[in-house]
Structures are given as structure tokens and as C-alpha cells.
Amino acid sequence: MTRFTRFTRTTAFKLSLLYITVFTVISGILLVYIAENTDHLMSEQVVQTIDAELNGLSEVYVRGGVRNLVETIDRRTRHPDASLYLLVDFSGNALVGNIARLPTMVLEEADGGLRRVRYTRLGVDTEDVERQAMVRTFELRGGFRLLVGRDLGDHLRFSNLLGNALRLWLAVVVVMGAITWLFVSRRVMKRIDDISASSRAIMNGDLSERLSIAGNDDEFDRLAINLNVMLERIEILMQSMKDVTDNIAHDLKTPLTRLQTRIETALRDAKNEQGYREALEATLEETDHLLRIFNSLLRIARIESMAPGTVLEPVDLNKLVAEIADLYEPLVEDEGGRLDINLPDGLMADCNRDMINQVLVNLIENALKYGRPEAGDLVISLSGRIEGERVILSVSDNGPGIPHKDLDRVQDRFVRLEESRSEPGTGLGLSLVKAVARLHGGDLRFKNEAPGLTARIDLKPVTPVSSGSNDGQGNAAGTTS
């Protein structure tokens, strides 16, 4: 009973019931309409046949009198069809016809009206079987009465057949609707039960659980695919959160321990103002490092929480890159290398200027730290181009590159391939680049060039406009993207 109640509460049951009701009503209306119109058409045919018979016999009577009328009726009654004839004299005696028994009132009311009567046919109904007929009765000169009619046996049989067909059709509709409901309910409930089971497994902590896909590309498959993508994203985010938590605990433990050690050492060993001052300066340096870590985390979180496209505007990438080159070219030369710029004229993109500036700065500083070749001078190349419907910005170096297994991992937070961590840094620079790329509808990708490494992000180009000014953040007048 509980299972049946559960079925009756499902959407599939309600839709199936609605389908059965609507289809049954429509089918019933259609079949009743067909039956009524068919009956009306057959009745009209009967009336037309009777009228035609009466007109013909009236002409015979007018031309040849009663004798010719009797002969004509006698001849016609010899053919076994649905036509009925009866001619009686003024005393009610039958002269000719194929009707054995008939209500007397039919002959007495010879007004030419159309009547439905019961009768017994002469020479056919050996067991006194009553039939139904449609008749007209006229009074002729001399007191004669003429009855002409049409047997309704075929008409009634067809009506019964149509009625039985109607009842059978409605029964079939109900049965097929019930079968459809059972099939749909079982199928839908099975899919919903599978989704519920997967959901319970996920709620119990198994984030690797996925919804089953039948492979027939129906609405449940499409829903399952989208939910699986969402679950995969949630699993990645939860794993990232776990990794971030572990990395924060690891990265903050060391500077906090150093802070504690320096403070304890200063309290224990410092003998004068200079000792306390040195301890405070070292503590301040560690505090600045901790603040940089938290500020980077907060900035990444703010970027990841933004809706894509909310902070984008047309930006002149040539002008932006030129400003970065003016800042970093002397620094690269001081390190014994060079900075190459390769951008086509008029390169514009819809982006956030400050964020893209920070992205390029992070990638250049990364190349300065880890892109030095084993032999020769460092070469950092900053380039841009249009590829398909995206603008590609890339920063390349000629250093050792990144091991293939770490190309994706290096984008995670607090990941630093230098295990000793002797170089300054927080391991958050590439995570910020990745977050900015996603905000712009793109992605951060690395490619080993052997030698060297190329880091690239993709942006949306600016659609050219007919007029306006090009100030680096306004409309891109006259540019081609």
C-alpha cells in the first residue's frame, strides 16, 4: 500500500492519469461525433430511398391505376432487399406486400408522416421475429392505403458495431494508458532512485560518486551529465580547499615558528636596545611575509567570486605591454638577459586592465626566478596574437621548463617545485593568474618548448566600432580584431 501511494504521488502517475483522461475524453467525443453523424447520414439515406419509392409508385398508380400498382409492388417484393411495401383496401384487407404483421394504427394514420415501427416480415421471419423499419403511409383515391418503408436491420447492426467499437476503443485507451503509466513510472522511479542513491552517497562524504547515465540522451541523461560536471567541480574545489588548508598549515607553520623563536630568543638573550630592535625587525619581516600570503589568498578569492564579464572593458594591449616593458626591461638587463616584445599593432581585448597587468607581471617574475638557462643569457619574450576568436597573450623563457607531470599541478595554490623553498615567494602567483584567466572566460596553459617554457592565457577580442577614441580603456576606434 505504501509503495502504491508512493507511485500515485509521482509526477509520472499524474501525467499518465492526465493523458488517459484527456485522450479518453477526446476519443469519446470524436467517436460519438462520428457515430451521430453516421447515424444521421444513414437516416437521411433511408428517408431519401422511401421518398424515391413513393414517388415512383405514385406515378405508377396515376398512370395505370390500382392493377398496375399491385403488379409493380408484387414484382418488387420478389427481390429480397430492405424495401417494404403494403397496399390495403378501404376495409384493411392486404392486397399485396411483404409485411405480415404491423400495428394497425400505422395504416389508420395515413398522413404521410415518417414513423419508426416494429413489424414482422412476410415469408422471412418464420419464428415471428419483430424487426424495426422506417415507413410512410399515404391514402390513395378509392380508400386504398399505401405503405412504403425501409428495414433498419443493417442500420442498427452498423450502429451496434460502431458502439462496440467505441467501447472497445475506450477500453484499449485506458489499458494502454495504464501500461504506459506502469512503464513510465517504473522507469522514471528507477532513474530517480538512482539519483537519490548517488545523492545519499555524496552526502555521506563520497565525493567521487557520480550519477548513472543510461546513454539514450534523454532529459535524465542531460541532467545527470550536468550534475556530474557540477559534482566534479565541487570535488575539485573541496580537494583544492583541503590542499589549501594543508599548504596553509605547512607554509604558515614555519614563519610562525620563526616568529615565536625570535621573540623567545629576544626575551631571553637580548641585553640592550639594539638586540630588541634586531628581533623586532626580523619579526616585522616575517609578519610582512604572512600578510603577503593572506593578501594573495584574499585577492584570489575575490577574483574567483566575481561573475565572468562583470569587470571587462576594451583595453589597448600594446600600450599595456609597453608600460610593463618600460618597468621590467632594465631589471631583466641587470640580470644579464633581455626582454623581447612581439605584439601586432592595434591589438585590443575586453579585459580588466589591472588584473591583466598583474598576470603579465607574475609571469615575467616567474620567468626571472625559474627560467634561467644552464648556459647562455636569459631571454624572456612577451607576445600576443589573435587565434580564432580569442586574443592570446604569452610569456616565454629559454630555461629548463617544468616537468610534464607538474604542468597542471603548478597552477594550484602554495605549490612550489623548488622543494627547498630557498627562493622568496608564496606559491600563489600562478594561482592568481589562473583565477584571472577563468574570470575572462579563458584558461592558463603551459607548454615546454625544449628549451624554455611558454605560459599563455586567452582573452576576448574587442569588436571594432565605427567611431570613438582609443585611450587604452575606451572604445577601439578603427582597430581590427
Side-chain angles (χ1 to χ4, degrees):
M1 187 64 184
T2 303
R3 185 176 180 84
F4 177 76
T5 304
R6 181 189 177 198
F7 268 120
T8 59
R9 291 178 179 175
T10 61
T11 302
F13 173 80
K14 295 175 182 178
L15 289 177
S16 298
L17 185 61
L18 178 63
Y19 155 77
I20 294 173
T21 303
V22 172
F23 200 74
T24 301
V25 170
I26 293 175
S27 299
I29 293 174
L30 180 61
L31 291 174
V32 168
Y33 174 79
I34 293 174
E36 289 183 351
N37 280 272
T38 302
D39 184 74
H40 178 70
L41 179 61
M42 294 182 68
S43 297
E44 285 187 348
Q45 290 178 346
V46 169
V47 173
Q48 291 172 3
T49 302
I50 293 173
D51 291 341
E53 293 275 5
L54 279 172
N55 291 332
L57 292 176
S58 297
E59 292 179 2
V60 170
Y61 178 72
V62 171
R63 289 197 303 265
V66 175
R67 182 181 297 276
N68 285 346
L69 181 60
V70 170
E71 292 176 356
T72 301
I73 293 175
D74 181 66
R75 187 168 55 252
R76 292 185 180 183
T77 56
R78 297 179 187 278
H79 300 287
D81 58 12
S83 296
L84 300 175
Y85 308 96
L86 181 62
L87 179 64
V88 298
D89 59 14
F90 61 89
S91 299
N93 299 316
L95 300 178
V96 67
N98 55 1
I99 297 177
R101 188 166 52 251
L102 186 74
T104 56
M105 61 174 296
V106 177
L107 293 173
E108 291 173 355
E109 298 176 358
D111 55 2
L114 191 66
R115 293 180 177 83
R116 183 186 288 260
V117 299
R118 291 184 175 276
Y119 76 100
T120 302
R121 188 157 183 162
L122 184 65
V124 176
D125 301 319
T126 57
E127 297 181 1
D128 213 21
V129 177
E130 282 193 341
R131 297 169 176 264
Q132 290 191 48
M134 194 77 70
V135 300
R136 286 185 188 275
T137 306
F138 288 90
E139 185 171 357
L140 304 176
R141 292 191 306 271
F144 297 102
R145 291 183 179 87
L146 174 63
L147 180 147
V148 178
R150 192 78 176 172
D151 187 87
L152 298 179
D154 293 339
H155 185 178
L156 295 175
R157 281 193 295 272
F158 183 79
S159 297
N160 290 334
L161 179 63
L162 202 58
N164 292 334
L166 170 61
R167 289 186 288 272
L168 178 61
W169 173 254
L170 293 179
V172 169
V173 168
V174 173
V175 171
M176 292 303 297
I179 293 174
T180 303
W181 164 65
L182 289 174
F183 173 76
V184 172
S185 296
R186 289 178 62 86
R187 185 173 182 273
V188 171
M189 289 303 300
K190 184 179 184 305
R191 298 297 297 273
I192 292 177
D193 288 342
D194 291 342
I195 293 175
S196 299
S198 299
S199 301
R200 285 193 296 271
I202 294 169
M203 288 187 292
N204 291 332
D206 185 8
L207 295 180
S208 63
E209 179 68 21
R210 295 293 180 267
L211 304 181
S212 60
I213 298 174
N216 50 17
D217 197 29
D218 60 2
E219 63 276 8
F220 283 103
D221 271 4
R222 293 193 294 272
L223 176 63
I225 290 171
N226 290 331
L227 290 177
N228 285 341
V229 173
M230 180 187 71
L231 291 172
E232 184 176 356
R233 177 64 177 158
I234 292 174
E235 183 182 13
I236 293 174
L237 291 175
M238 294 298 293
Q239 185 62 40
S240 299
M241 184 180 296
K242 179 180 179 301
D243 294 341
V244 167
T245 303
D246 294 342
N247 288 323
I248 287 177
H250 183 274
D251 276 56
L252 296 187
K253 182 178 180 180
T254 300
L256 288 174
T257 301
R258 285 200 296 264
L259 277 176
Q260 183 182 20
T261 301
R262 285 195 176 97
I263 293 172
E264 290 175 349
T265 301
L267 291 174
R268 185 181 63 250
D269 299 336
K271 304 298 183 181
N272 50 38
E273 181 180 347
Q274 181 63 28
Y276 286 115
R277 185 177 185 85
E278 291 176 355
L280 286 175
E281 289 176 349
T283 301
L284 182 61
E285 183 178 350
E286 289 293 343
T287 304
D288 288 340
H289 178 67
L290 289 174
L291 288 175
R292 285 195 298 273
I293 292 176
F294 282 113
N295 287 335
S296 297
L297 288 172
L298 288 174
R299 186 170 188 186
I300 292 172
R302 282 196 297 269
I303 292 173
E304 289 180 340
S305 66
M306 291 179 182
T310 56
V311 291
L312 308 185
E313 58 185 0
V315 173
D316 186 347
L317 297 180
N318 296 88
K319 184 176 180 180
L320 175 63
V321 170
E323 293 174 357
I324 295 175
D326 289 340
L327 179 64
Y328 276 90
E329 196 167 18
L331 182 60
V332 175
E333 290 177 353
D334 290 344
E335 296 292 329
R338 75 175 190 271
L339 178 63
D340 295 337
I341 306 298
N342 181 21
L343 268 78
D345 294 335
L347 188 62
M348 304 285 294
D350 276 330
C351 60
N352 182 284
R353 181 184 177 87
D354 294 337
M355 290 183 183
I356 298 302
N357 182 82
Q358 185 64 56
V359 163
L360 296 178
V361 166
N362 284 9
L363 293 177
I364 291 174
E365 290 185 349
N366 224 51
L368 279 171
K369 289 179 184 178
Y370 308 110
R372 297 178 180 276
E374 295 181 359
D377 297 332
L378 170 64
V379 178
I380 299 176
S381 177
L382 202 165
S383 61
R385 67 184 185 277
I386 295 179
E387 188 176 286
E389 297 182 353
R390 305 291 289 179
V391 172
I392 307 300
L393 288 179
S394 59
V395 175
S396 304
D397 60 53
N398 59 340
I402 297 176
H404 183 74
K405 63 183 178 66
D406 295 323
L407 285 176
D408 293 329
R409 190 175 71 89
V410 75
Q411 303 178 33
D412 296 336
R413 299 176 188 181
F414 296 109
V415 172
R416 298 173 66 185
L417 299 183
E418 183 208 12
E419 298 298 335
S420 64
R421 305 204 173 193
S422 58
E423 292 286 343
T426 61
L428 295 172
L430 294 181
S431 297
L432 187 143
V433 174
K434 180 180 179 180
V436 172
R438 286 188 174 179
L439 178 65
H440 289 76
D443 205 354
L444 169 64
R445 298 180 183 178
F446 292 101
K447 181 181 178 182
N448 285 312
E449 302 291 353
L453 177 74
T454 296
R456 52 168 281 181
I457 63 170
D458 54 302
L459 309 171
K460 181 181 179 182
V462 174
T463 303
V465 294
S466 57
S467 62
S469 60
N470 181 7
D471 59 358
Q473 295 182 0
N475 292 331
T479 62
T480 302
S481 61

